[in-house]
Amino acid sequence: MKKLLAIAVLCLGLAMAQSVAEITRQVQSNLERAPWEATITGKIQLPDGSGQEAEFKLQVIPGKEQLARVEFKKPAALEGNFVVISDKEVWNYLFLTNQLIIQPRAKARIEGLGFNLTDLGDFEELTERLMLRLLGEQNTPAGAAWRIQGTPKDASLGFANMEVLVLKSDPRPLAITLRDSSNKLLADLSFNNFRRANLTAQALRKRPADAEVLRRN
């Protein structure tokens, strides 16, 4: 009986693991259909430890050479800043100093944040850096959603735990919550106004012509 119970538990664990893999595949496939954008709102913790209201626009051109742009409206410390994320580089534009800091993607972070969200527009890349498990389902105003928990495989992401809500009817992220090793909230973000958009690489790479360009290795 004990052996049968152990086998049942093992099979259930394998089924859950396969479910997570299938969900992430569905999400990536859905987000790769066409360029898209969304407004991200919620709360984030800044490097100084203060909690702030957050609002920024995320625009993504999927594909082999994926490109993403993040434009900050809130908090005030990041207002006017933007980030452009390609497969090789991350551009951080700092409004107050009119500087564009360019770094290799493998080493870059978004300036002004204490955690790494450079994979925010690349769901597949983000989930590959996490150990995932399916927590179950949850009802949301947008409809039923899967709850997925992720634990980073290394410390470079700057958080210890991530929970993602994925809409079942149109597989895409609805919300992301990040916590540190002490279970302190680092970010609680919702994806709003998701839509397919006619985006171009030229538009996503647009920057002030007089910006000072600084390259960091």
Side-chain angles (χ1 to χ4, degrees):
M1 186 67 180
K2 289 183 179 180
K3 287 185 178 180
L4 289 175
L5 181 60
I7 292 172
V9 171
L10 177 60
C11 289
L12 178 60
L14 290 173
M16 293 287 278
Q18 292 170 350
S19 296
V20 170
E22 176 60 20
I23 292 167
T24 57
R25 188 200 65 77
Q26 290 178 28
V27 172
Q28 189 64 22
S29 177
N30 187 28
L31 295 182
E32 285 183 346
R33 282 173 43 211
W36 57 274
E37 64 182 23
T39 301
I40 315 297
T41 59
K43 293 185 177 181
I44 59 173
Q45 180 181 295
L46 298 185
D48 64 6
S50 64
Q52 299 285 335
E53 295 290 329
E55 179 180 346
F56 52 92
K57 179 186 285 187
L58 173 63
Q59 298 176 304
V60 178
I61 299 176
K64 192 173 182 180
E65 297 181 359
Q66 179 166 290
L67 194 64
R69 183 182 178 100
V70 180
E71 295 183 353
F72 287 94
K73 295 184 178 181
K74 297 178 183 178
L78 300 178
E79 184 179 5
N81 291 7
F82 68 79
V83 181
V84 179
I85 306 163
S86 71
D87 60 333
K88 296 179 181 179
E89 294 181 330
V90 173
W91 294 6
N92 279 285
Y93 174 72
L94 308 180
F95 175 76
L96 291 179
T97 59
N98 195 29
Q99 292 178 320
L100 184 73
I101 301 172
I102 301 177
Q103 293 179 283
R105 178 167 171 172
K107 297 181 179 180
R109 289 174 175 265
I110 296 177
E111 295 286 332
L113 296 181
F115 46 88
N116 192 350
L117 280 183
T118 55
D119 293 328
L120 190 61
D122 190 339
F123 192 78
E124 184 176 42
E125 180 71 20
L126 179 61
T127 53
E128 282 183 354
R129 302 178 69 179
L130 302 167
M131 296 176 62
L132 301 174
R133 68 187 183 105
L134 183 61
L135 298 180
E137 297 183 16
Q138 178 176 320
N139 290 324
T140 76
W146 288 294
R147 290 178 61 210
I148 297 175
Q149 185 181 69
T151 304
K153 296 177 182 177
D154 60 69
S156 65
L157 293 177
F159 58 86
N161 179 277
M162 180 184 78
E163 186 172 319
V164 185
L165 283 180
V166 172
L167 184 63
K168 293 183 66 176
S169 61
D170 180 21
R172 56 182 171 84
L174 288 177
I176 292 181
T177 303
L178 305 177
R179 296 183 182 275
D180 66 13
S181 57
S182 301
N183 205 38
K184 185 176 181 181
L185 187 68
L186 297 177
D188 186 7
L189 302 172
S190 298
F191 288 67
N192 306 296
N193 306 319
F194 177 92
R195 71 183 188 94
R196 306 293 175 177
N198 184 21
L199 304 174
T200 66
Q202 182 179 7
L204 265 62
R205 292 184 181 275
K206 186 177 180 181
R207 60 184 176 88
D210 62 344
E212 179 186 7
V213 178
L214 302 175
R215 287 191 174 271
R216 297 177 181 172
N217 297 322

